[in-house]
Amino acid sequence: MKLLFACLCTLSLLPLWGQPTVLPSQKEGEWILMTAPESGRPAIDPAILVRPLSAEAGAYLLRFPEAQEAVLSLQMSKLPGFIALQPNYYLSARSIEPNDPYFGSQWTLARIQAPETWEFTTGGSTALGDPIVVAVMDDGFDLEHPDLVDNLWVNEIEQQGIPGLDDDENGYVDDVQGWNFDSETNNLPIKSHGTAVLGILGASGNNGTGIAGINWNVKIIPMVVRTIGDMIEAYAYVYQFRKKNNETAGMGGALVVTTSASLGFNKVFCTDFPALQSILDSLGQIGVLNVAATANGDWNVDELGDIPTSCPSESLIAVTNADRDDEKFEQAAYGALSIDLAAPGGAPEQGTFTTYPPGAYEENFGGTSAACPHVSGGVALLYSIPSAVFAQLVRENPAEAARVIKEAILEGADKLDAFQGITRSGGRLNLYKSALYLHGYSQQIALPDPGQYSDRRRLIRVFPNPLSSGEPLQIVYGSRELAPVTVRLFNSLGQLLQEYTHTPVPFTAQQFSLPTANLAAGAYWVVLENGISPLSFKLIVF
């Protein structure tokens, strides 16, 4: 179903007057007592004390019936150092939702946890300010669509140059905004398929218009291709831009981090076109990942082939189609060796909401063509994480940065039975988990599996050990999805000496220090609560 841009439902934008304010809900019977830490531990009736939340901060969890609130509140107020008694409210998820009116119809974004990932970044540039570019191959595009126009890349050298001359000397005259490799001109036809792909990966977000792309901000190079020859040439075109960007420290070319190809040729092996394999390898060597949709047919690519998803290049991410039930859509190709993962696309009649020409929207765009831009858009979004460590890697070692992103995409995938044995990852795209994987990669202490920083609570490293009394004790820890952790220090008699709660900050060191100024020589225990059984570490002080 196609929806005209002019027919956006204005009623959905109106405020709902007269509705009561919804207050946060309290966990039944639970309260937080807050006292001045310097006043010492308050004398609290053990019958209502659940546990100290942080003795250092003067916070204690209490539980009592609501009927006793008035009496107990009065009693608590008389405690030494009393500050406040507050309900223990449930927290609400802080995933970011844009104000685009059709966002609620984009079911695929919730499936890959895009809103949670937007808490970290909504795209646009690396942490060091380098603009991120995606190059898209398709049949044509609505370059004047109001939800796309602001995110289209412009070749400024050609735009500011002399018409009819190849101002940037890349072999393409006046390629101000991409290229048509079929007609060998800069004239890009308006087509629905390519327009829909662009909307998924890069429709302007939070602009009060239409939908939100996976990247609210990004720059897209549109490229029209119709043949395998066109595809090879388009990849070579991208190679020029990224190579120049690398060689000029970002002053020229374009920082193309990924290509996206929601098209291909059925049941032909990449080995029949070694030039295609060669250009894909070359792109990987300069830091470009290449995302491609596999065929819309129920066959094994490993056995029957596909262009380009049968190519064994490490720069390629081959994508199949997951339906609304997180099963492989029946008309989607697969391959344990060739296909990397699934992404939500859905059946043609149950696809995603996206852009459509002219200036309109498509309610059901499905197939592997829809799955592919979720991954290419995800690659671009992950390049924009607020990690200076990773952004510096993009500058200094582009090939390694691309390898890390591909690893994050595959390791972060939700492992699902439907894709075990028919894809390399055995799962479906999850951008939030991929971002957490990169959080682990950004840590000062590297682990063979960076995902260990965010998969569960754990003690990763406690040092120095033994330590000299007065020397700060450094604690590096794991936490499930950036949740707070509580660490306690006990002496050999089991007496609690210190308690500290630490909340991880995304893409910064997951580490803190405990003071040991008053510790006598002897053995101590560092204990981390993990919700199952405490994790302990023996510490020697001399």
Side-chain angles (χ1 to χ4, degrees), residues 120 386 439 442-443 477 479 482-483 502-511:
F120 307 140
H439 164 77
S442 301
Q443 299 300 308
Y477 63 92
S479 165
L482 306 180
H502 192 262
T503 301
V505 177
F507 307 104
T508 63
Q510 208 160 286
Q511 177 177 340

Side-chain angles (χ1 to χ4, degrees), residues 26-113:
Q26 177 186 2
K27 189 170 183 180
E28 185 175 0
E30 290 196 356
W31 304 80
I32 299 174
L33 171 66
M34 286 162 279
T35 62
E38 61 271 16
S39 64
R41 183 163 179 162
I44 306 172
D45 184 351
I48 65 171
L49 175 64
V50 178
R51 66 179 182 276
L53 296 175
S54 173
E56 287 186 343
Y60 303 86
L61 181 64
L62 313 182
R63 185 181 293 125
F64 52 81
E66 185 178 356
Q68 299 180 26
E69 176 186 355
V71 174
L72 290 175
S73 294
L74 181 60
Q75 291 179 7
M76 296 297 113
S77 68
K78 296 178 180 179
L79 291 171
F82 173 81
I83 296 176
L85 181 69
Q86 294 284 6
N88 188 21
Y89 289 128
Y90 281 106
L91 302 175
S92 59
R94 290 292 176 81
S95 58
I96 297 177
E97 292 192 1
N99 62 11
D100 306 273
Y102 291 142
F103 168 70
S105 299
Q106 295 179 268
W107 64 272
T108 59
L109 297 183
R111 186 65 53 87
I112 63 173
Q113 289 197 269

Side-chain angles (χ1 to χ4, degrees), residues 155 157-158 164-176 178-181 183-186 233 236-238 240-241 244:
N155 185 344
I157 295 177
E158 290 289 348
L165 292 181
D166 181 13
D167 301 281
D168 61 356
E169 299 180 342
N170 69 344
Y172 301 90
V173 176
D174 297 338
D175 56 327
V176 175
W179 192 254
N180 185 334
F181 293 91
S183 67
E184 301 181 22
T185 68
N186 60 2
E233 187 178 4
Y237 178 77
V238 171
Q240 289 191 65
F241 281 119
K244 187 173 183 179

Side-chain angles (χ1 to χ4, degrees), residues 458-527:
R458 65 174 81 219
L459 290 171
I460 291 176
R461 186 176 175 191
V462 180
F463 66 98
N465 187 31
L467 65 74
S468 172
S469 182
E471 185 179 6
L473 177 66
Q474 303 297 322
I475 297 177
V476 182
Y477 63 92
S479 165
R480 182 163 180 79
E481 297 186 3
L482 306 180
V485 298
T486 297
V487 172
R488 297 181 175 91
L489 181 65
F490 295 89
N491 62 19
S492 58
L493 299 177
Q495 297 170 319
L496 176 64
L497 303 180
Q498 290 190 52
E499 180 179 292
Y500 189 78
T501 298
H502 192 262
T503 301
V505 177
F507 307 104
T508 63
Q510 208 160 286
Q511 177 177 340
F512 63 89
S513 61
L514 285 179
T516 65
N518 298 318
L519 294 184
Y524 297 83
W525 292 95
V526 177
V527 178

Side-chain angles (χ1 to χ4, degrees), residues 214-293:
I214 290 172
N215 297 270
W216 296 6
N217 304 285
V218 71
K219 292 305 174 187
I220 303 169
I221 300 177
M223 305 181 298
V224 173
V225 301
R226 293 192 63 193
T227 68
I228 295 177
D230 292 343
M231 175 179 279
I232 293 171
E233 187 178 4
Y235 280 132
Y237 178 77
V238 171
Y239 180 88
Q240 289 191 65
F241 281 119
R242 181 59 191 271
K243 184 171 184 289
K244 187 173 183 179
N245 187 266
N246 291 351
E247 293 174 345
T248 61
M251 300 303 293
L255 182 62
V256 182
V257 300
T258 182
T259 65
S260 187
S262 287
L263 37 73
F265 194 79
N266 295 345
K267 298 183 179 180
V268 173
F269 283 99
C270 192
T271 51
D272 293 340
F273 293 87
L276 180 58
Q277 173 70 28
S278 178
I279 189 60
L280 288 173
D281 288 342
S282 296
L283 284 163
Q285 291 163 10
I286 61 171
V288 181
L289 287 173
N290 303 286
V291 182

